[in-house]
């Protein structure tokens, strides 16, 4: 019997025919008809109109027919909830059948019908089946608890199903244990609550079940083990001892999950290295065991290899010793798919060392002559990156690059030029002898990056290239048509040439370039740089030399290196999609299934903390480094550094970004000041200023209120957050406010849709302040069509919600409703409500903190204060407390020392200097979170105005 | 966990679809097909990609795509291994996997999926255990000729593709059979001087059992088998720490009588209690196909082919060149390689090619072809026996004068082949015993070897 005939196209009247066949008393005919329906469903045809007819076939002794009907039911029950109720009786009856297959089938199918009304009837059968004698029924029931939780979490808690699941972790049947564990993990994921805490007692049971389980169950258990808090190295040792044999498994998922556990334990052991001598031994021994199984993964199908390679590229960054001697296994095979080859190349670079570089270079050279252009380019880059990171091998790398240039293959030559530029940056004045060979290949350069690199080389070594002026001149012929990257390099290179060889012809060239770059371009970067050069050259050529020909910071190859915080986060997510994308999970896992109802906020905080543990761990670090990093960023984006002509071409960045340039720009500032250079360069506005304006909550609110439609007048003066098409009829007004010493999200909801709306709940995305709803319910009850309601959602501090990166005032909010689905909007966080009452400290602490904190931010506020006492009171009203007020000797100024605590216990310290009755207040700001400066200035300004 | 599972035909039609969590839109099938078909710059799409917050994980087998979607941060190898497992189960039950096989058996496949995956969580996936739950009769479909399983090795001397459900038959047509296949894939790279600079075998021992009642088996491998990691470390003792370090395979490599494996892993059914002493594996084979062991080695391989290549100018014309290839087949004379293909990339300025071949009569040349687009010159041979010596000459017509650089631009030469009844690692099954004492019980036992090229490359 061939079933493919069911896929034949729908004819007219087929539905009618099917209806008749479904009603047939002849069982085979009936079955045929149901099969046809399923086939139609599979290819995406709508056969929902047959619902009652198919459900009528449900009550049958024929298990095969029953299964087919259930399959249909699962698919369409949601669209026909009222009719689905018809099926309930049969389910309940089936769940008491003597045949365990039928009992399990009933429970499994019922759970898949995601209709609220059915769930009530599900509870009794489920309770029975969780205690069934047959393990097949029990394991099916365990999964059903997770299904039920997704639809109706209260019901699961009220009926004590969670406790029953936990008990099932001790079941004699490993399948049941694995499913109970998987269900608990799933519930933990859905609810954001910690429902599964691995105690040392449970650990023992799980380890025992590990050997009995199916391969899939082993993965569940291994993944659960990772969250176990080990007490000491002994503990870790015990776990690893049981997990190591799993590295031998044929299933690559088991191998990677086992590797994840071992890697986690290695971290634990390293943490304790100071106290326990044995730790080092352990790490060494375990590293040794991990290598071969990881290599074995490369023998699998390309798909599996790909996952393994993405994970290995993380592992070798954290633990280089594991695969240090295995570079050969990562050599590309002729017929590897391109996605595998690219990953292998990355790992080869990471593992290249002075010991194996000859072998590796030989490979790279082969790859550089293959057919796939992207792969060839990457291979050439790889040679350059090895040269930059391995000093002793640089000479050999360069010889290979020169050989490749000899092939005259266009894209190979271009790529080689780009990396040779990097090599020159890394090893100044060592390898210029090859410049001649590069210059022979000028005509093949047609890509901007390659051109820009070549121009940089010519400029940098203008004094050693006899015909540098001629070479540059050829490039200059097409100056107006070049991309900005090439233009900037041409400008700088010509200036360098002029400073090194000030001949008449070069003088003419430079005039030409400067006038082209100032008069005939729309690119502000180019124009500004040209102006700076122009003034510098005309005022003081010697100073120009100091600036333009200054020594450059040495670069390193960090293009494959992940930031330590990110690497740490990803290492905890080995063998997950995060490790394949090299992005932390919270950047791509959406929380759509998240969170239906959370009563216990603390529990929520804890479990989120677990998921986002990486993010949270990274955050303080990021903020700690924030200030210098931000400073460096600001410096490099200002035109000042561009004077050096060091646009960062290619993959390389200055290694000593915070340190090295810090010295030069300092000098530059003086220089520019002394020269009284026009504001073009110096007027790079403090980056904070525009941000401050944007963050000013009052400005923003004003703007929004004005823009709000007339209907909004009905709402109590809150800005509109959601409306129009996006709101599907719902209009939401709201704002974060401070009420009774708490931050609340004041919301006002208008139901303009045609249905009653209830079950409104709120969740927010990670944000710069760790704001999270303390109770997700938006207590407006049921809103009939046309009704409106107001609610204040209390917000609590949740460290897991802290976003990484520089502070911003954005808040991404999601609100779900039972009827209309989920809505999203972006809101701005006003700082004022986040300032806490009683957020004061004593004078001593203030002084100590002031001294301990790095460089402050400063701003001159355009306000006039006549009455200092009144000003103090106004600051106090926004929870900024004046600790001391004293006159500044000899200036006639008053100094106020002010402090406040921002939500999430960040203390902010302020010094205000003002002259009574004279416009202008100088505010200095210091805090652990320096990036809050702009927002705090805005609050101070608005409170004083 | 897994939100949806679906199977797409080569043209992108949905032939099987199940939705488990309802959090991924129905259009995901089209999104997947479009994204993988038009991946950036025509590159082959990786097996995992992310579109709009949905991760798509897929494997391709028998021309169809098996795809899982998810919004969670799942273990990717877990999902991919599971998809592979589904494809094996379909083969076990339907004889093969292809669009036709799936369409003809879709109620059966839905039935299987019911048991395989519940709420996106993999359940019991052993072919054996699933038999209890399956009511539909399979329609066995042989794979289309274009998709030869096991590198051209047919399913067995009986030539029958059958379903594991066959062992349930009571109509007297049941055949008790077991196949044990040693499958080795060779990855070898030779440098321009003709020395193998890297060589590796990825091997596996595949068992496919159609034995009713699942009697226990005993398999013995070579006595001279040495597994560097297993025997060199404390593994056998139950995972001690770094014991037995300092062992180096090199110490043994000189003794060529040993078969040395770098690493082996075994299926969970393998009872290894007698492995360390006698190289015996006991097992109760579950129904269907599974890998009893996977191994890899880079030691003392028997390399089946050697090749030399020379590129010369043509004295008669500076726009012509001559490439000579000589290929030796180094397998024993009673073995033969089938489907040999010699692939030679040529530089872009080769306009035309003309080939001549000298080969012993039995190594019938199936033909040669040169593609202007890919610049690949390819010779195909039907059968090349051990000890044969083939010469190929290609006259190239160039669009620019001959230069010395042509020598490096020709190549590398890549070989594709399959050699039945040959194992490059010399691993062998000394015996395969079926442990059932019954005079009348005499099932067919098939032990087969096959070595094929994974990547067999001569650099120039």
């Amino acid at each position: 019997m061939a079933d493919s005939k069911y896929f034949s196209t729908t004819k007219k009247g087929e539905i009618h025919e099917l209806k008749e066949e479904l009603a047939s008393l002849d069982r085979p005919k009936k079955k045929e008809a149901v099969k046809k329906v399923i086939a139609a469903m599979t290819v995406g045809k709508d056969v929902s109109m047959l619902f009652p007819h198919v459900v009528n076939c449900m009550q049958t002794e024929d298990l095969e027919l029953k299964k087919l009907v259930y399959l249909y039911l699962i698919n369409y029950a949601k669209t026909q909830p009222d009719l689905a109720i018809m099926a309930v009786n049969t389910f309940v009856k089936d769940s008491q059948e003597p045949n365990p297959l039928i009992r399990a089938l009933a429970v499994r199918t019922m759970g898949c019908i995601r209709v609220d009304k059915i769930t009530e009837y599900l509870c009794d059968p489920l309770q029975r089946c969780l205690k069934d004698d047959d393990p097949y029924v029990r394991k099916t029931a365990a999964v059903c608890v997770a299904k039920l939780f997704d639809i109706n979490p209260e019901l699961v808690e009220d009926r004590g199903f969670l406790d029953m699941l936990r008990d099932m972790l001790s079941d004699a049947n490993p399948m049941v244990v694995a499913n109970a564990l998987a269900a608990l993990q799933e519930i933990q994921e859905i609810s954001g609550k910690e429902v599964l805490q691995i105690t040392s007692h449970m650990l023992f049971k799980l380890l025992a079940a590990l050997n009995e389980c199916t391969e899939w169950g082993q993965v569940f258990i291994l993944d659960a083990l990772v969250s176990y808090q080990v007490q000491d190295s002994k503990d870790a040792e015990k776990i690893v001892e049981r997990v190591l044999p799993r590295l031998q498994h044929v299933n690559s998922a088991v191998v990677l999950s086992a590797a994840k556990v071992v890697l986690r334990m290695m971290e634990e052991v390293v943490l304790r290295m100071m106290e326990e001598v044995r730790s080092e031994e352990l790490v060494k021994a375990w590293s040794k065991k991990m290598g071969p199984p990881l290599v074995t993964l490369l023998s699998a199908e390309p798909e599996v290899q790909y996952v393994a390679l993405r994970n290995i590229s993380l592992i070798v960054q954290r633990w280089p010793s594991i695969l240090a001697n295995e570079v050969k296994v990562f050599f590309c095979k002729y017929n590897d798919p391109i996605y595998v080859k690219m990953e292998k190349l990355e790992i080869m670079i990471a593992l290249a060392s002075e010991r194996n570089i000859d072998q590796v270079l030989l490979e790279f050279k082969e790859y550089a002559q293959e057919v796939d252009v992207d792969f060839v380019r990457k291979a050439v880059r790889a040679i350059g990156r090895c040269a930059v990171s391995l000093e002793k091998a640089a000479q050999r790398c360069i010889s290979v690059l020169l050989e490749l240039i000899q092939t005259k293959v266009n894209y190979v030559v271009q790529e080689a030029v780009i990396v040779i530029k990097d090599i020159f940056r890394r090893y100044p004045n060592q390898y210029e002898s090859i410049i001649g060979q590069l210059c022979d290949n000028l005509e093949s350069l047609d890509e901007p990056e390659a051109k820009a690199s070549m121009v940089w080389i010519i400029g940098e070594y203008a004094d050693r290239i006899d015909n540098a002026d001629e070479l540059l001149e050829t490039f200059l012929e097409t100056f107006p048509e070049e991309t900005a990257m090439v233009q900037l390099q041409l400008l700088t290179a010509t200036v360098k040439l002029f400073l090194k060889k000030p001949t008449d012809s070069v003088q003419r060239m430079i005039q030409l370039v400067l006038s082209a770059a100032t008069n005939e371009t729309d690119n502000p970067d180019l124009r500004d740089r040209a102006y700076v050069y122009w003034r510098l050259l005309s005022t003081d050529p010697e100073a120009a030399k100091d600036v333009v020909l200054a020594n450059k910071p040495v670069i390193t190859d960090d293009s494959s290196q992940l930031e330590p915080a990110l690497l740490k986060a990803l290492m905890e997510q080995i063998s997950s999609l995060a490790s394949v994308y090299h992005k932390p999970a919270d950047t791509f896992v959406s929380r759509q299934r998240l969170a239906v109802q959370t009563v216990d906020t603390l529990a929520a905080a804890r479990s989120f903390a677990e998921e986002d543990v990486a993010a949270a761990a990274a955050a303080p670090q990021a903020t700690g480094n924030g200030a210098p990093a931000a400073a460096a960023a600001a410096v490099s984006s200002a035109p000042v550094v561009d004077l050096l002509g060091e646009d960062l071409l290619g993959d390389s960045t200055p290694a000593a970004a915070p340190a090295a340039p810090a010295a030069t720009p300092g000098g530059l500032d003086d220089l520019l000041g002394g020269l009284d250079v026009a504001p073009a360069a110096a007027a790079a506005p403090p980056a904070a200023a525009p941000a401050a304006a944007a963050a000013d909550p009052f400005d923003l609110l004003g703007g929004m209120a004005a823009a709000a439609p007339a209907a909004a007048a009905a709402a109590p003066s809150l800005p509109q957050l959601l409306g129009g098409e996006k709101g599907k009829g719902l209009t939401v007004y709201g704002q974060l406010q401070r009420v009774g010493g708490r931050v609340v999200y004041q919301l006002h909801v208008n139901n303009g849709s045609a249905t009653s709306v209830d079950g409104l709940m709120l969740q927010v995305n990670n944000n710069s302040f760790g704001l999270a709803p303390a109770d997700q319910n938006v207590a407006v009850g049921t809103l009939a069509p046309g009704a409106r309601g107001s609610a204040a959602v209390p917000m609590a501090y949740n460290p897991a919600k802290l976003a990484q990166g520089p502070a911003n005032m954005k808040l991404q909010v999601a609100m779900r409703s039972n009827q209309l689905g989920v809505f999203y909007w972006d809101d701005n966080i006003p700082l004022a409500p986040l300032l806490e009452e009683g957020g004061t400290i004593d004078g001593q602490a203030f002084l100590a903190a002031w001294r301990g904190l790095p460089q402050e931010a400063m701003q001159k506020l355009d306000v006039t204060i006549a009455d200092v006492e009144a000003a103090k009171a106004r600051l106090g009203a926004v929870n900024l407390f004046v600790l001391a007020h004293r006159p500044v000797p000899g200036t006639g100024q008053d100094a106020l020392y002010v402090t406040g605590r921002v939500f999430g216990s960040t203390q902010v310290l302020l010094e205000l200097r003002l002259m009574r009755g004279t416009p202008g207040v100088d505010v200095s700001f210091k805090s652990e979170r320096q990036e809050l400066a702009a927002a705090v200035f805005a609050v101070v300004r608005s409170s004083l105005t | 966990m897994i939100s949806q599972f679906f199977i797409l035909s080569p043209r992108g039609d949905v032939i099987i679809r199940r939705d488990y969590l309802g959090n991924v839109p129905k259009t995901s099938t089209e999104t997947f097909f479009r994204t993988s078909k038009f991946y950036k710059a025509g590159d082959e799409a990786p097996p995992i990609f992310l579109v709009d917050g949905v991760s798509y994980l897929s494997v391709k087998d028998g021309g169809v795509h098996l795809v899982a979607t998810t919004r969670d941060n799942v273990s990717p190898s877990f999902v991919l291994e599971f998809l592979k497992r589904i494809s094996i189960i379909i083969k076990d039950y339907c004889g093969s996997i292809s669009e036709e096989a799936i369409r003809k058996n879709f109620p059966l496949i839905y039935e299987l999926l019911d048991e395989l995956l519940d709420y996106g969580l993999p359940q019991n996936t052993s072919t054996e255990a699933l038999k209890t739950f399956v009511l539909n009769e399979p329609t066995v479909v042989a794979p289309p000729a274009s998709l030869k399983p096991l590198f051209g090795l047919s399913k067995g001397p009986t030539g029958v593709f059958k379903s594991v459900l066959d062992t349930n038959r009571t109509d007297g047509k049941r055949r008790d059979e077991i196949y044990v296949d040693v499958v080795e894939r060779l990855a070898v790279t030779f440098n321009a001087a003709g020395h193998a600079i890297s060589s590796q075998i990825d091997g596996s021992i595949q068992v496919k059992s159609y034995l009713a009642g699942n009697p226990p088996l005993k398999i013995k491998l070579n006595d001279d088998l040495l597994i560097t990691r297993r025997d060199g470390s404390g593994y056998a003792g139950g995972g001690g720490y770094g014991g037995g370090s300092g062992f180096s395979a090199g110490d043994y490599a000189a003794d060529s009588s040993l078969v040395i494996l770098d690493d082996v892993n075994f299926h969970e059914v393998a009872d290894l209690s007698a492995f360390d002493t006698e190289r015996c594996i006991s097992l109760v084979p579950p129904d269907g196909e599974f890998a009893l062991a996977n191994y890899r080695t880079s030691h003392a391989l028997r390399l089946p082919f050697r090749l030399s290549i020379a590129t010369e100018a043509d004295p008669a014309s500076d726009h012509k060149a001559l490439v000579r290839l000589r290929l030796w087949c180094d397998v024993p004379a009673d073995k033969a390689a089938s489907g040999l293909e010699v692939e030679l990339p040529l530089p872009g300025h080769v306009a035309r090619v003309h080939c001549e071949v000298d080969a012993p009569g039995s190594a019938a040349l199936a033909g040669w072809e040169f593609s202007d687009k890919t610049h690949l010159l390819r010779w195909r041979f039907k059968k090349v026996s051990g000890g044969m010596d083939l010469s190929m000459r290609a006259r190239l017509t160039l669009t620019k004068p001959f230069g010395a650089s042509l020598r490096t631009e020709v190549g590398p030469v890549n070989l594709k082949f399959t050699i039945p009844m040959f194992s490059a690692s010399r691993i062998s099954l000394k015996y395969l015993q079926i442990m059932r004492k019954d005079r009348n019980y005499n099932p067919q036992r098939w032990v087969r070897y096959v070595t094929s090229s994974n990547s067999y490359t001569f650099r120039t």
Side-chain angles (χ1 to χ4, degrees), chain A residues 818-860:
Chain A
N818 283 344
Q819 290 75 17
L820 299 173
V822 185
F823 306 103
Y824 301 91
W825 67 75
D826 286 350
D827 197 0
N828 286 286
I829 305 174
L831 189 71
L834 301 189
L835 286 167
E836 294 176 346
E837 287 85 0
T840 181
I841 51 177
D842 67 42
Q844 284 302 322
F846 183 93
L847 269 180
W850 187 267
R851 285 201 205 101
L853 285 165
Q855 186 67 40
E856 70 261 17
M858 282 178 48
Q859 199 175 33
K860 197 174 200 69

Side-chain angles (χ1 to χ4, degrees), chain B residues 160-223:
Chain B
V160 173
F161 292 90
K162 58 182 188 179
S163 164
V164 285
L165 293 171
D166 246 33
T167 51
N168 291 353
R169 280 165 92 137
T170 47
D171 57 2
K173 286 186 189 160
R174 194 182 80 205
R175 281 179 75 121
D176 274 2
E177 294 181 294
I178 179 157
Y179 300 100
V180 179
D181 294 328
V182 176
V183 182
E184 300 195 333
R185 302 190 314 144
L186 266 175
V188 186
T189 308
F190 296 85
N191 64 10
H195 299 297
I197 50 170
S198 79
S199 54
Q200 180 168 318
I201 295 174
D202 296 326
S204 80
I205 301 177
Q206 298 277 345
V207 179
K208 198 168 172 89
S209 162
Y210 298 102
L211 299 176
N214 305 96
L217 296 179
K218 206 166 163 189
I219 291 174
K220 182 173 162 58
L221 301 176
N222 317 34
D223 279 317

Side-chain angles (χ1 to χ4, degrees), chain B residues 255-275:
Chain B
D255 182 357
S256 60
S257 69
L258 285 175
V259 176
I260 301 171
L261 305 182
D262 292 333
D263 192 24
V264 189
N265 57 42
F266 292 97
H267 191 273
E268 50 206 19
V269 297
D271 171 1
L272 301 173
S273 48
F275 187 77

Side-chain angles (χ1 to χ4, degrees), chain B residues 174 176 212 215 434-443:
Chain B
R174 194 182 80 205
D176 274 2
I434 299 174
M435 314 296 277
R436 179 187 279 181
K437 292 190 179 64
D438 180 352
R439 261 169 207 289
N440 299 324
Y441 185 72
N442 197 11

Side-chain angles (χ1 to χ4, degrees), chain A residues 479 487-488 490-492 495 510-521 523-538 548 639 642-643 677 680-681:
Chain A
F479 186 84
Q487 287 178 330
L488 283 167
L490 274 171
L491 173 63
T492 306
V495 173
I510 194 130
Q511 275 160 359
L512 229 83
V513 175
L514 286 175
S515 80
T518 48
N519 298 331
E520 290 157 32
T521 178
N523 183 335
D525 284 348
L526 181 65
R527 206 170 45 219
D528 287 354
R529 196 194 283 188
Y531 273 125
V532 171
Y533 282 144
W534 201 327
R535 295 207 169 85
L536 208 48
L537 289 170
S538 55
V548 180
D642 279 354
L643 282 175
V677 172

Side-chain angles (χ1 to χ4, degrees), chain A residues 1-4 6-7 35 38-39 41-44 63-64 67-68 71 74-75 101 108 112 114 136 139-140 143 146-147 150 175 179 182-183 186 189-190 213-216 218-220 223 237 241 244-245 248-253 256 278 282 285-286 288-289 292-293 295-296 298-301 303-304 306-307 328-329 333-335 337-339 362-363 366-367 369 372 374 573 575-578 580-581 583 585 588-590 592-593, chain B residues 1 14-21 23 26 41 43-50 53-60 70-78 80-82 84-85 100 103-107 110-111 114-115 118-119 121-125 132-137 139 185 187 197-198 200 202 229 233-235 238-242 245-246 263-268 291 293-294 296 343 345 376 408 412 414 454-455 457 459-460:
Chain A
M1 176 190 67
D3 287 322
S4 61
Y6 300 116
F7 285 92
K35 280 185 185 175
I38 303 279
M41 191 176 90
T42 299
V43 296
L63 192 53
E64 194 185 340
K67 280 185 179 180
L68 289 168
L71 191 62
I74 292 169
N75 218 353
L101 296 190
R108 184 169 67 211
C112 294
R114 302 165 60 86
Y136 177 71
K139 73 131 187 154
T140 310
V143 176
K147 295 177 188 170
D150 197 16
M175 256 325 258
N179 271 7
E186 191 66 21
E189 186 85 8
I190 300 171
C213 264
T214 65
E215 48 207 312
W216 320 114
Q218 294 185 19
V219 175
F220 294 145
D223 286 350
E237 216 174 318
E241 195 176 314
L244 274 179
Q248 242 74 23
H249 206 280
V250 257
N251 186 317
S252 67
L256 275 175
R278 200 170 141 61
L282 287 177
W286 295 346
K288 211 168 155 190
K289 304 246 172 191
V295 171
T296 299
L298 300 183
S299 308
E301 294 82 347
E303 292 93 357
V304 173
Y306 175 71
V307 176
K328 251 180 114 170
V329 301
K333 288 176 187 147
Y334 180 77
N335 46 357
I338 185 74
Y339 58 80
L362 218 59
E363 286 294 310
E366 279 299 325
Y367 305 159
Q369 294 172 48
D372 189 294
D374 286 341
Q573 297 176 3
S575 189
S576 74
L577 284 171
V580 170
Y581 301 144
K583 287 194 258 182
F588 63 89
V589 171
S590 63
Q592 280 208 337
R593 286 171 67 216
Chain B
M1 267 298 123
V14 186
I15 37 184
I16 292 287
R17 180 205 315 253
R18 287 271 343 231
D19 195 313
Y20 294 96
L21 304 186
N23 61 354
K26 269 211 162 74
D43 277 351
E44 198 177 335
I48 299 166
F49 51 79
L50 182 72
V54 178
S55 295
Y56 295 83
L57 299 99
S58 65
V59 299
K60 209 175 162 187
T70 179
R71 280 188 186 275
D72 297 338
N73 188 23
V74 298
S75 158
S77 15
F78 181 84
L80 292 174
E81 290 275 0
F82 180 68
K84 272 167 50 193
R85 186 69 213 151
E100 192 198 359
R103 284 194 193 269
K104 282 190 172 156
N105 288 290
F106 82 92
Y110 274 126
E111 219 181 345
D114 258 351
E115 302 302 327
D118 190 6
Y119 195 55
L121 301 167
Q123 301 294 304
N124 202 339
T125 57
T132 334
F133 305 109
V134 168
L135 302 165
N136 278 283
E137 292 286 324
T139 309
R185 302 190 314 144
I197 50 170
S198 79
Q200 180 168 318
D202 296 326
R229 203 162 77 82
S233 71
Y235 171 80
Y241 300 110
S245 60
D263 192 24
V264 189
N265 57 42
F266 292 97
H267 191 273
E268 50 206 19
N294 291 318
R296 64 182 164 84
E343 196 178 83
L376 282 177
T408 54
N414 190 44
N454 174 3
S455 162
T457 310
R459 288 178 177 168
T460 49

